[in-house]
Amino acid sequence: MTDRKTRLATVWLDGCSGCHMSLLDTDERLIEVAKRVDVVWGPLVDHKEFPADVDVTLVEGAISSVADLDRIKVVRARTGILVSLGDCAVTGNVPALRNRFGAGAVLRRAYLENETLDAQIPRQVVPELLPMARPVHEVVPVDVFVPGCPPSADLIFSVLSDLLEGKRPTPAAIFG
Amino acid sequence: MTIEDLRTIAENERQAQKKFQHHVCVCIAAGCLSSGADQVRDAIKKEVAEAGMAGEVLVKGVGCMGLCSAGPLVSVETEDQLFANVTPEDASELVRSIDTGTADLKHCDTAVPFFERQQKIVLENSGKIDPERIEDYISNDGYRALVTAITEMTPPEIVALMVKSGLRGRGGAGYPTGLKWSTVSKTGEQAKYVICNADEGDPGAFMDRAVLESDPHRVLEGMAIAAYAVGAQNGFIYVRAEYPLAVKHLKTAIKQAERLGLLGNNICNSRFSFHVDIRLGAGAFVCGEETALIASIEGQRGAPRPRPPYPAQEGLWNCPTLINNVETFANVAPIVRNGAAWFAAIGTEKSKGTKVFALAGRVANTGLIEVPMGITLREIIHEIGGGIPDGKQYKAVQTGGPSGGCIPEQHLDSPVDYESLARIGSIMGSGGMIVMDETSCMVDVAKYFMEFCASESCGKCVPCRTGTRQMLAILEKITAGEATAADLALLEELCDLVKNTSLCGLGQSAPNPVVTTLKYFHDEYDRHISGEGCPICKEHAASSAEVSQ
Amino acid sequence: MTKAPVRIKTLTIDGREVGAREDQTILDVARENHIFIPTLCDLPGLTAVGACRLCLVEVRGVNRLLPACVTAVAEGMEVSVSSERIDRYRRSILELLFAERNHVCSVCVTNGHCDLQSLALKLGMTHVHFPYQYPRLPVDASHERFVVDHNRCILCTRCVRVCDEIEGAHTWDVMSRGVDCRVITDLAEPWGKSESCTGCGKCVQVCPTGALSEKGKSVAEMSKRRQFLPYLTLMREARR
Ligand SMILES: Cc1cc2nc3c(=O)[nH]c(=O)nc-3n(C[C@H](O)[C@H](O)[C@H](O)COP(=O)(O)O)c2cc1C
Ligand code: SF4
Ligand code: SF4
Ligand code: SF4
Ligand code: FES
């Protein structure tokens, strides 16, 4: 990559934010990274729209809802290197546990059976669930996979370092 | 039992049959039986009795005559006439005109390619003799080969004869039979077994069933000669339980052969003893694979195990075991009777003899045929089979059952032998032959066979168990018009993986229908994924929607 | 008892010359020489079945791939345990296993102690490129001490073999065909109702995954103790 700072985005889909936490766990090494990147999008970046010409996007979480699906398509279109970060993005992991029962069963359990007051399945604000929660690469092409629940801070740092140096990392990582 | 005894039985039988002026043979093999042949036979018998002709007309139930699609078939042997689609109501007409041979019934012309292009060795008695009477078999040269073998030949001589004949296994892989016998015979003096593989699990195949129903003694004789040659004392016939008539005829045949001392202890007063038992298979396709079949006889789950060791070295209960297909055994007696050179003169350089096929699908004449190796597919389909009916266009022929390949027009002149079929991506298999015309969608065909393999996979090894399921899912996606080019690439990748990494022949050949349809009919796959859609599938969908309305 | 003299064969594995007894398999020799060949169904002490197909190797002059766990050594054999093609096949086979049932390592009792999981790491499997199947499979917790979770079973039949060959109970077997295959206790009775099960727990210890586990173990708490197997096999051989 050229002298210009790498435009980095991180996206939080259906995950627990653990992967983002693990990213933050790189601690002081973050300062090193920060010097070389522009964080153009992330859970704490207050933009309405995903920016164009992003070099690297880290995606945490599975594709579980209509909103996730719409989002990832935009992200893919505007990103150079798309990274599936963590097991939910790579395998579906915990969000995909529901796939054996279907979205309806999950909604009933959450909004009807466990609710005593005015039980109803929300139709607004909360985006509609897809029938199946899917790993990111089943929906759009993914360039780099970083398994782990969450991936360790060291792993994330090495992946990031490789990417910043223009290398395509092949992380040796364990699921779970 | 000596050759003379055998001759006496044969002579007596011939004399007894000669007393009758007319021989009426009613096919009561499964094909004709399913269209009521037993009632036809009973009706004819009744008519004969009522006409007071019981002393002149012999009515017998016989095995398959081949043209199953025109059943029930009745032949009046003495007049050389064959009647098709006979009903019990036709009985009186048949008997009334038996002297004049002018019955006003549906005649079957036997001077047509369907009959004339065939060459019968395995089926020589089929449709002629009463499979439930050993005497009828003996009067047609039956058991002469066995008695000659035991009394005049040494086991090594018989093995050498089989090697020279060039006979290859008819169960699918075409392994040289003589070589297999030789391996088993060289394992020294110990308990050995002979197994006849009559599992016949290919959908649409019924060659082995027909042989067992029509001429069971021929298979027993072949097994006994094999046992003598390799030094085995016990044998099993593993036959699927869905073949009750075959089992019945086999049971009768075994009892009769034992009674005459042609099976059992000290056959022909020699030191050679051979006992045959029947084992019923529960209808799992994979149990036709030899190691799975052996596990099943041993009372274990029918799943293949890696080879080597081959059954010839370590088979049933870890003893050397000779396992051959029904049709392979059915070729043995004629080879012993007529010599290796006679057999080797039929067929091609590497594929000797004849092959029985169950011709099915979109051809005018469906049924059982026996043809010399080396005949072309075109001859089988367009001459013997009578071409494609209803003015439709030929599209493909599938040989070799669920794991065979689909062969397009451009390869129709390819000869039918083991090597040539393999070269064009298919296999000889056990003899299933399904013809398809323009109304078949080849992706749908591939899906059908994949569904069969996926559900018949024994589940032991990973690539076959789950790989076939993944392939099936992709094929379903394609036929539903939901697939992309990426799915097609994944399908091809899975073909390669499953073929090269599966444990047994089922998995190794399960991709064949997909591979050949991808090769020869790629445009049909493209049509499904391009959004253009497949006109054939659309038509099917429309007509099935009509039906459901 | 006099034994026939054991003959020695020489072969090469990945170019390395190695010696082997004639009754050894390629896998035996590779292990003795610390050459890694991935395996899942094989476990020393149990009959090899050649089912997982991960140990496939190339042998020069043979056009098929051969399973190292059941292929006997031969004089002059030239074995390659790894190549671009084999490595790709192995990863695909692993992926097929992950896609076949429901492996959610992060919430699994054997997380961190699982043969399947660690092989995925070792063979560089970063994701599963086949669609996940998500079958609905039961968990049988009827046994007082053990649990079988079919979601994690890879049908390696180690449990079946240890129970039959070592414990002598033959409680386990496999039922059905294709992807419907399932390990069963007795005649597909709940494990807790099994009359043949002695409760020895050998199956649990040899199971490569989280399919068989001890009760009371939470996520990542179940590690397997397999020391008994080499010990028992050794003692048995000594008695022969
Ligand atoms: C999946 C599978 C199914 C088979 N089914 C049959 C069968 O139904 N009948 C048969 O004779 N051979 C069948 N075979 C072939 C047998 O394994 C074996 O090769 C054959 O019985 C040997 O006899 P042959 O040498 O006379 O052909 C099958 C093989 C496979 C892999
Ligand atoms: S290839 Fe299929 S049928 Fe053969 S052993 Fe493997 S799973 Fe069983
Ligand atoms: S059994 Fe192994 S691979 Fe499967 S979920 Fe558990 S830890 Fe992961
Ligand atoms: S329960 Fe465990 S040991 Fe048994 S087959 Fe399944 S994975 Fe293998
Ligand atoms: S270890 Fe050889 S096939 Fe599983």
Side-chain angles (χ1 to χ4, degrees), chain A residues 87 90-94 96-97 99-101 132-135 137-138 145-147 149 170-176, chain C residues 98 102-107 111-112 117-118 120-121 125-137 151-152:
Chain A
D87 274 0
V90 176
T91 75
N93 201 26
V94 175
L97 278 171
N99 289 356
R100 277 171 288 158
F101 315 101
M132 294 260 191
R134 317 220 77 119
H137 66 269
E138 283 193 12
F145 298 88
V146 188
C149 184
T170 43
I174 195 154
F175 293 86
Chain C
F98 274 94
N102 304 297
H103 292 274
V104 190
C105 300
S106 60
V107 296
N111 188 5
Q117 186 190 31
S118 57
L121 170 66
M125 184 197 109
T126 60
H127 69 293
V128 174
H129 79 298
F130 302 111
Y132 286 92
Q133 305 288 299
Y134 304 118
R136 261 188 110 151
L137 293 164
N151 292 289
R152 312 281 199 252

Side-chain angles (χ1 to χ4, degrees), chain B residues 352-373:
Chain B
K352 302 296 187 192
T354 59
K355 180 77 196 83
V356 181
F357 288 100
L359 190 58
R362 306 288 297 166
V363 272
N365 309 322
T366 61
L368 203 67
I369 58 167
E370 182 172 356
V371 289
M373 295 273 193

Side-chain angles (χ1 to χ4, degrees), chain C residues 94-166:
Chain C
L94 273 188
E95 288 183 30
L96 283 174
L97 281 174
F98 274 94
E100 182 183 22
R101 296 200 171 179
N102 304 297
H103 292 274
V104 190
C105 300
S106 60
V107 296
C108 179
V109 277
T110 46
N111 188 5
H113 315 285
C114 169
D115 291 359
L116 181 64
Q117 186 190 31
S118 57
L119 258 190
L121 170 66
K122 203 150 184 176
L123 301 187
M125 184 197 109
T126 60
H127 69 293
V128 174
H129 79 298
F130 302 111
Y132 286 92
Q133 305 288 299
Y134 304 118
R136 261 188 110 151
L137 293 164
V139 176
D140 176 1
S142 61
H143 194 281
E144 59 173 337
R145 286 167 45 219
F146 310 124
V147 184
V148 51
D149 180 353
H150 295 283
N151 292 289
R152 312 281 199 252
C153 173
I154 58 168
L155 294 167
C156 67
T157 69
R158 283 192 196 178
C159 54
V160 178
R161 284 172 282 150
V162 83
C163 185
D164 177 49
E165 296 170 13
I166 307 292

